[in-house]
Amino acid sequence: MPGRADGGLDVTDERPSDRAGPLPGSVALLSVHTSPLAQPGVGDGGGLNVFVSALAANLSGHGIAVDVFTRTAGADLPPTVTLDDGVRVHHVDAGPPTLRKDDLASHLCAFYLGVASHPAMEAVQLLHGHYWMSGWVGRKLRQRRNVPLVQRFHTLARAKDAGRTAGEAPEPMLRFAAERRVVAAADAVLAATAREASLLRREYRAPGNQVHIVPPGVDTEVFRPAADRFATRRDLGGGRLLLFVGRLQPLKGPDLAVRTLAALDAHLPDDSVPTRLIIVGGASGNGHGTVDPAALRQLAEQLGVSDRVALLAPRPHDALAPLYRAADAVLMPSRSESFGLVALEAQACGTPVVGADVGGLGDILRNGGGTVVAAHDPDAYARAVLPYLVDSNARNAASDAAVRSAQTYSWRQTTQQTLDIYRSLMSRQPTATRGRRGA
């Protein structure tokens, strides 16, 4: 599927029987602030991109016409990009292409009008919003078209506020108010974890039967163990290797990863084997000037580990998987995670993850294949990651557990759960509005 950010997908051509319930013939996936065609780790691209891209491909594999609507965020982008599987990505003009995510709220009306008047909307039988801005647009479209709205927030204002670092501004009240209104309007709200579902019920007054737990998946065709681990590591310079993957913003903790590397010097055996850290990601949002590449290099210099820290640009999944496999462990010292797809990708490659107990990350790690760290403290992370660096038995056991844990997640399962929700909502619609492409 050329042009996709995820590199490879678990797509099935099987179609459920009509006895399983009606499916929508056409679904609109709303992704206002970031395109599924964008590279994860660049700008605002991340797990949301991967999720929308994978879901779109799998829905198309079930015979559903899929139209993705996203904001025009670059020069010379065509109005519509049609992917090999038939998924269409529509670029909608709403504010200057270079607009920051934090400034998008004032342009949501323009995005809504652009989608509402788009010819592809004529056939749409179900809306699926991703992130709160898309939910705001979806809420207005639902009112206009009287079709079901499914909403997935990916991250919530209340959860993000709980993890913000000192000096960071809280999420605007506009966002929290918009999220509550979207919850009130949506026919179904999908949560990645039980923790998110509980937050939706407690803080957003979501009725229990409205919230459905649907975890993301992982592409085990791309992210898998392989025999090239040590060859890749030799190409990277040898020694012990830690990896950080993600957007360079304070909530993800790339600075804590650098501090962990420095703290390890007090715990590692005094030998000639170097321990290095590779950071893969691009500056994002409020990370500029605090945890962007220049700031991280300066921090590494101050801590005396600059010769053992490498910063790499984000890369497609097929180029990222070898880095996961080469690492002894992946660090995820996040202060907020809606789920933690990086952990799932790393585990699918057989690499242990040392991460924080936030979002779904703690749940993933408790299934095996890693260690949960309670404190946002470099020495705590250093002690947690140490066994994977010096004890091959501990590392191998965690690697096996990681693969077993990751294999319990799949995009096929995520799609099937989503389709069940679609069917339930479509069964409440008038017969004239039902249908499936090719039915």
Side-chain angles (χ1 to χ4, degrees), residues 32-57:
V32 174
H33 79 283
T34 183
S35 169
L37 303 179
Q39 169 63 54
V42 176
D44 295 313
L48 188 153
N49 304 61
V50 175
F51 190 100
V52 172
S53 186
L55 179 63

Side-chain angles (χ1 to χ4, degrees), residues 110-369:
F111 187 90
Y112 157 69
L113 292 172
V115 176
S117 62
H118 198 285
M121 279 298 297
E122 287 300 313
V124 167
Q125 296 174 331
L126 184 141
L127 304 161
H128 194 156
H130 295 269
Y131 196 61
W132 74 269
M133 295 186 200
S134 299
W136 187 95
V137 173
R139 172 174 168 262
K140 304 295 286 185
L141 289 170
R142 184 190 184 282
Q143 293 171 346
R144 179 175 181 138
R145 295 192 50 83
N146 194 31
V147 295
L149 170 63
V150 176
Q151 174 65 23
R152 191 178 191 104
F153 285 100
H154 294 270
T155 180
L156 289 160
R158 281 291 188 253
K160 196 168 181 181
D161 271 351
R164 74 178 187 270
T165 57
E168 279 192 282
E171 291 297 297
M173 287 305 298
L174 168 66
R175 174 179 177 178
F176 179 60
E179 287 175 345
R180 288 188 61 168
R181 289 178 181 173
V182 172
V183 168
D187 297 278
V189 180
L190 310 190
T193 64
R195 189 179 302 192
E196 183 183 358
S198 176
L199 182 63
L200 283 162
R201 297 183 183 112
R202 184 178 68 253
E203 298 286 347
Y204 293 84
R205 302 175 185 173
N209 61 357
Q210 181 194 24
V211 181
H212 307 265
I213 300 173
V214 182
V218 64
D219 183 358
T220 54
E221 292 299 312
V222 173
F223 299 108
R224 65 187 191 282
D228 65 352
R229 178 184 169 217
F230 291 106
T232 302
R233 186 184 295 194
R234 284 193 296 271
D235 292 341
L236 294 168
R240 306 182 186 101
L241 185 62
L242 297 174
L243 183 66
F244 172 96
V245 176
R247 297 194 302 278
L248 304 185
Q249 55 182 206
L251 281 174
K252 299 293 184 182
D255 53 330
L256 187 49
V258 176
R259 295 182 187 279
T260 298
L261 177 67
L264 272 167
D265 287 346
H267 299 277
L268 285 167
D270 183 17
D271 58 22
S272 59
V273 180
T275 301
R276 295 176 299 110
L277 169 67
I278 292 179
I279 296 175
V280 181
S284 173
N286 59 4
H288 291 280
T290 57
V291 293
D292 61 11
L296 291 174
R297 290 190 187 97
Q298 184 177 22
L299 176 63
E301 183 72 34
Q302 292 170 352
L303 296 173
V305 294
S306 59
D307 60 331
R308 293 185 281 136
V309 176
L311 282 85
L312 305 182
R315 56 209 54 226
H317 280 176
D318 57 354
L320 181 60
L323 294 179
Y324 281 132
R325 289 192 284 265
D328 290 292
V330 169
L331 294 175
M332 291 191 69
S334 307
R335 292 184 176 273
S336 178
E337 287 283 352
S338 56
F339 183 74
L341 271 178
V342 164
L344 212 51
E345 294 167 356
Q347 287 188 329
C349 291
T351 303
V353 178
V354 176
D357 189 9
V358 293
L361 184 54
D363 297 336
I364 295 172
L365 299 186
R366 287 191 183 91
N367 289 338

Side-chain angles (χ1 to χ4, degrees), residues 229 233 240-242 260 263-264 267-269 275 327-331 351-355 369-373 378-399:
R229 178 184 169 217
R233 186 184 295 194
R240 306 182 186 101
L241 185 62
L242 297 174
T260 298
L264 272 167
H267 299 277
L268 285 167
T275 301
D328 290 292
V330 169
L331 294 175
T351 303
V353 178
V354 176
T371 303
V372 178
V373 181
D379 194 64
Y381 273 89
R383 284 184 274 108
V385 80
L386 184 64
Y388 304 130
L389 299 176
V390 299
D391 185 342
S392 60
N393 290 330
R395 205 275 179 193
N396 291 338
S399 176

